[in-house]
Amino acid sequence: MGSDNSNWHSELDYDKWVSLPVAGPRPSARYKHAAAVIDEKLYIVGGSRNGRQLSDVQALDLRNLSWSTIKLKAQSQADNHAISGHSMVKWGNKLLLLGGLSKETSDNVTVLSVNLESQVTGVLEATGKIPVARSGQSVTLVGSKLIMFGGEDRHRQLLNDVNILDLETMIWNVVETTKTPPAPRCDHTAVVHVDRYFLIFGGCSQSTFFNDLHVLDLETLEWSQPQIQGNLVFSRAGHAGVSIDEKWFIVGGGDSKSGATETLVLDMSTLALSVLTSVNQKDSLASEGLSVSSALVNGEQFLVAFGGYNGKYNNEVFVMKPKPKDSKQPKIFKSSAAAAAASVTAAYALAKFESLDLTAFENSKNKVDLSVEYGVIKEEKKALESSIAWIKAEKSTLKAKLDEINETHTDLSKELHSVQGQLAAEKSRCADLETQISELQTKLSSMQSIEEKVQALRSQKSALDSNSSTPSQGYNGSWRWMSP
């Protein structure tokens, strides 16, 4: 990328992430922040770093790639608080922040408004059935309504409720749905297609990371779960998603052990899932708690990613220029729902075809059928070849992991045998010490007995000495008497 930062967008290749050469100081690295692009500026609000919530608002001018800090004026002290794990949407000339963790102890979800023109922030009063306070939820704008799904409350209770806030009346309502809802979760991502189908993907509970897709029909209020090839999709939470036209781009996330390296794209009209590109495991894009937004710069669409955590906190800015609509996507894995959608489309086309005068097509009918069949087989061949290539790569990866595990097992076995040998030697040494201690105790007992005998002999000697002194005096007296 050249030195002219204002011309960065003209030098990008399609479907490749590129780090932007941002000028000047950057915001502090963080994750679980919120982001939005408005008028060619990327706004970053709040987030978390080292267990501490942040309260700053930063803006990146995507034309000259320079950061600036937005100094907000709070209507009250309570309106200016640090926050993370929240959601943010653009509404008119305002940014609306919902949910998240902060030092404020409200029992219910609050809606914080940031006026970008006056740079004044304040809480918007809402009524109705206000949802319980939470973080890790998803919030999606549909017309003038916000759809909030799931999250985790202050007591770490996971949720799977659907709540709608009418931004024109500021009234909350709980949506009563039918069929099987998604399992309670947080840190998922959500999108709405053609203002009718509400989709959620991934997320986690306290023990499980998900890679499932669920769809709520906003007209019938029925949940469904289209089947995607889950073994081909890394389970993840803390990922980010954004839609452009009929495509839903999903970036990053992880399972607390490793980050998701693939950038996925879901064609929401056919439910065909693709791996758009991949990054290295240590790349900032393979992070949890990052953000991704869509930006229109000089008439071109871009994806803009920021922040995240993958063992370290990040503050890099990455951009991607997606291919235009008619470009083919690599590695398409069609779900059964996509096949069903294709069948419906084919049936509809066949019904229209049969309603025509077929005599005009009688001579070319067989050729058309063969052409269509050949095209279908060709596409199936491509899909199978792609799947085989992926399986081979996965097999190679698993073999490498297995070899590493076997090598680790061998090393651990050697270490175990060494420790067992040392332990046996120590046991033998302990046994010798116990024997020596027993012998010393026996000797000590013998010494006590000997000492008692010595003491008795001393007593006897003392008695004998006392008795022998008296006869000596008598004998001397007799000797004196007998002498002349």
Side-chain angles (χ1 to χ4, degrees):
M1 190 171 293
S3 59
D4 184 8
N5 288 351
S6 63
N7 200 35
W8 62 266
H9 46 79
S10 64
E11 304 175 23
L12 297 183
D13 295 329
Y14 287 122
D15 294 346
K16 290 185 178 179
W17 287 108
V18 176
S19 177
L20 286 182
V22 176
R26 302 185 180 196
S28 60
R30 68 193 67 198
Y31 84 139
K32 291 191 176 182
H33 53 279
V37 173
I38 302 169
D39 296 334
E40 298 186 339
K41 286 188 177 181
L42 171 68
Y43 290 89
I44 302 295
V45 180
S48 177
R49 178 183 174 87
N50 297 326
R52 180 175 61 89
Q53 278 85 37
L54 305 176
S55 61
D56 58 335
V57 178
Q58 306 286 340
L60 173 65
D61 191 323
L62 293 172
R63 291 162 295 191
N64 58 27
L65 301 186
S66 61
W67 283 101
S68 59
T69 301
I70 307 298
K71 299 294 185 182
L72 296 179
K73 295 169 284 186
Q75 292 180 348
S76 67
Q77 185 63 32
D79 296 338
N80 188 13
H81 55 267
I83 192 169
S84 68
H86 51 296
S87 303
M88 185 169 72
V89 296
K90 179 181 180 295
W91 176 245
N93 65 340
K94 298 176 181 177
L95 293 173
L96 302 183
L97 282 63
L98 295 90
L101 292 173
S102 68
K103 293 182 179 179
E104 303 298 319
T105 56
S106 173
D107 294 330
N108 300 104
V109 170
T110 57
V111 182
L112 188 67
S113 167
V114 178
N115 190 310
L116 295 176
E117 293 180 0
S118 64
Q119 297 186 354
V120 173
T121 179
V123 174
L124 298 181
E125 296 297 331
T127 58
K129 299 179 180 179
I130 304 176
V132 65
R134 64 192 68 194
S135 64
Q137 69 291 320
S138 63
V139 174
T140 311
L141 179 64
V142 185
S144 62
K145 294 180 173 61
L146 292 178
I147 302 176
M148 175 181 285
F149 173 81
E152 183 181 50
D153 69 13
R154 295 184 182 277
H155 306 290
R156 299 206 66 194
Q157 179 71 38
L158 290 164
L159 307 165
N160 65 347
D161 53 342
V162 182
N163 300 275
I164 291 183
L165 173 62
D166 189 325
L167 293 175
E168 294 180 346
T169 63
M170 292 303 294
I171 297 176
W172 282 100
N173 280 296
V174 179
V175 178
E176 300 294 338
T177 62
T178 59
K179 300 295 179 65
T180 305
R185 65 190 66 198
C186 63
D187 295 336
H188 53 280
T189 190
V191 72
V192 170
H193 179 50
V194 295
D195 289 349
R196 175 171 177 177
Y197 299 104
F198 175 67
L199 292 75
I200 71 163
F201 173 75
C204 66
S205 64
Q206 274 90 0
S207 59
T208 305
F209 287 82
F210 301 107
N211 62 353
D212 49 357
L213 176 70
H214 295 264
V215 180
L216 176 64
D217 188 325
L218 296 176
E219 289 188 6
T220 64
L221 299 182
E222 289 183 353
W223 281 108
S224 61
Q225 185 179 357
Q227 295 300 312
I228 59 175
Q229 295 190 20
N231 60 322
L232 298 177
V233 181
F234 185 86
S235 298
R236 68 193 71 197
H239 48 291
V242 66
S243 63
I244 298 177
D245 299 323
E246 295 182 340
K247 294 177 181 177
W248 188 19
F249 298 90
I250 298 170
V251 184
D255 62 358
S256 76
K257 298 177 183 177
S258 59
T261 58
E262 315 96 340
T263 296
L264 305 176
V265 59
L266 179 74
D267 188 325
M268 293 183 287
S269 62
T270 63
L271 296 183
L273 186 67
S274 308
V275 176
L276 188 61
T277 187
S278 295
V279 297
N280 295 325
Q281 187 69 59
K282 295 182 179 180
D283 200 291
S284 299
L285 289 162
S287 295
E288 298 181 40
L290 79 171
S291 63
V292 64
S293 309
S294 64
L296 192 64
V297 181
N298 281 5
E300 288 188 284
Q301 286 277 6
F302 298 91
L303 303 182
V304 185
F306 173 81
Y309 178 81
N310 63 345
K312 68 173 184 176
Y313 296 97
N314 302 304
N315 62 353
E316 286 189 85
V317 181
F318 290 87
V319 293
M320 174 195 283
K321 181 163 65 172
K323 286 181 181 177
K325 263 187 179 182
D326 56 350
S327 297
K328 292 183 179 179
Q329 300 291 349
K331 300 181 185 175
I332 294 179
F333 307 118
K334 286 196 174 182
S335 66
S336 57
S343 300
V344 172
T345 303
Y348 177 69
L350 181 62
K352 290 180 67 177
F353 181 77
E354 289 177 343
S355 68
L356 299 175
D357 184 2
L358 296 181
T359 58
F361 304 98
E362 194 65 38
N363 293 330
S364 59
K365 182 172 183 284
N366 291 334
K367 292 182 179 179
V368 171
D369 289 343
L370 287 173
S371 176
V372 170
E373 185 175 354
Y374 175 74
V376 171
I377 292 172
K378 190 175 180 182
E379 288 298 321
E380 288 180 351
K381 180 186 175 186
K382 287 182 180 179
L384 287 172
E385 287 175 346
S386 177
S387 297
I388 290 170
W390 183 91
I391 290 170
K392 286 182 178 178
E394 188 70 10
K395 180 182 176 182
S396 177
T397 302
L398 290 174
K399 186 177 182 303
K401 289 183 178 178
L402 182 60
D403 291 341
E404 184 181 349
I405 290 171
N406 288 334
E407 185 178 350
T408 303
H409 179 264
T410 302
D411 293 340
L412 289 175
S413 296
K414 291 179 180 178
E415 187 175 348
L416 177 61
H417 289 317
S418 174
V419 171
Q420 286 176 337
Q422 293 176 16
L423 182 61
E426 288 297 321
K427 283 184 177 179
S428 176
R429 183 168 169 271
C430 287
D432 292 341
L433 288 174
E434 288 178 354
T435 302
Q436 292 177 16
I437 291 171
S438 178
E439 290 176 353
L440 289 172
Q441 287 178 338
T442 302
K443 290 180 179 179
L444 182 61
S445 298
S446 300
M447 288 180 65
Q448 289 177 347
S449 175
I450 292 170
E451 187 176 353
E452 289 176 357
K453 289 180 179 179
V454 168
Q455 187 65 34
L457 288 172
R458 285 176 178 171
S459 299
Q460 291 178 9
K461 180 178 179 295
S462 177
L464 288 172
D465 290 343
S466 177
N467 292 333
S468 63
S469 63
T470 305
S472 175
Q473 293 175 1
Y475 176 78
N476 291 334
S478 299
W479 182 258
R480 286 195 299 269
W481 178 76
M482 290 177 64
S483 58

